[in-house]
Amino acid sequence: MVIGHLVAATVFVTGCDVVKTMINGTTVAEEMVNCKTSSGILMLVFTAIFVAFFAISWGPIAWIYSAEIFPLNVRAKAVSITTGSNWFMGTIMSYILELIAPLGIHGLFYLFSGLTLLAVVFVYLFCPETRGVLLEDIEETFDDFKLKNRTIIKLLRKPCNENRKKSAKVNPIEMKL
């Protein structure tokens, strides 16, 4: 999804021209976008790649994950709240096209690419895998989830741990005489 938006934005920047028509030198009356045929096809292909990967990942997962992660005693209310927030954010996203004026079409695609990348990082760091976990055990899965066990966190900590002084381990049972 990130690559789909990133490539579509870059192709737009490199293969399209935006011609603005001004009235009295101050107000933009009309914008015409002229793209090469190959650029238009590439943008269409990479937008389709985005849509395909959205359809098999973020699209359904938002509904599935929210239905799985809550313990049974709060599931109905919690899923109602997540459904409402999902619809609310969908409404907010419908107004995001108004950012085309200040950012341009390519800027909006770059913004979406960056937000998608942030979402990937968030999910990797803060959302534990729930595949194969019984609904009755979900609460325990989230209670046992530790950010420090993520591979990227271990890799980032490794250089810091190498320079740290090691302390001697003392067995309190052996200390008793």
Side-chain angles (χ1 to χ4, degrees):
M1 288 172 48
V2 171
I3 291 170
H5 278 318
L6 199 60
V7 172
T10 305
V11 167
F12 184 85
V13 168
T14 58
C16 298
D17 296 317
V18 178
V19 179
K20 296 179 182 181
T21 305
M22 306 282 250
I23 297 176
N24 298 330
T26 58
T27 309
V28 175
E30 186 178 280
E31 281 189 359
M32 294 294 295
V33 177
N34 299 320
C35 295
K36 298 178 206 167
T37 303
S38 60
S39 297
I41 290 170
L42 273 174
M43 285 188 292
L44 182 63
V45 166
F46 279 95
T47 301
I49 287 171
F50 164 80
V51 170
F53 280 94
F54 180 83
I56 62 172
S57 62
W58 295 114
I61 292 300
W63 300 104
I64 294 168
Y65 198 72
S66 65
E68 288 181 348
I69 63 172
F70 298 110
L72 293 173
N73 61 336
V74 296
R75 180 174 311 270
K77 290 179 183 175
V79 171
S80 297
I81 291 169
T82 58
T83 300
S85 66
N86 195 355
W87 279 98
F88 176 71
M89 289 310 295
T91 303
I92 298 298
M93 288 301 294
S94 69
Y95 289 102
I96 204 154
L97 290 178
E98 294 185 17
L99 290 175
I100 289 177
L103 297 177
I105 295 171
H106 65 286
L108 202 57
F109 276 107
Y110 284 130
L111 175 67
F112 287 159
S113 181
L115 291 175
T116 304
L117 185 61
L118 284 176
V120 168
V121 171
F122 175 82
V123 167
Y124 176 76
L125 291 177
F126 299 110
C127 298
E129 176 63 57
T130 58
R131 181 180 49 209
V133 178
L134 296 174
L135 291 176
E136 294 79 13
D137 298 333
I138 277 295
E139 194 168 3
E140 185 179 317
T141 299
F142 275 84
D143 288 343
D144 294 340
F145 179 73
K146 306 242 184 311
L147 182 62
K148 66 182 181 182
N149 292 334
R150 292 296 200 194
T151 305
I152 191 75
I153 300 298
K154 288 179 183 177
L155 290 173
L156 291 173
R157 282 187 171 175
K158 191 174 184 177
C160 298
N161 288 337
E162 290 173 357
N163 297 332
R164 222 167 85 190
K165 292 182 179 180
K166 308 238 190 261
S167 58
K169 293 192 179 200
V170 178
N171 189 342
I173 297 173
E174 292 177 1
M175 291 185 66
K176 291 182 181 180
L177 296 176

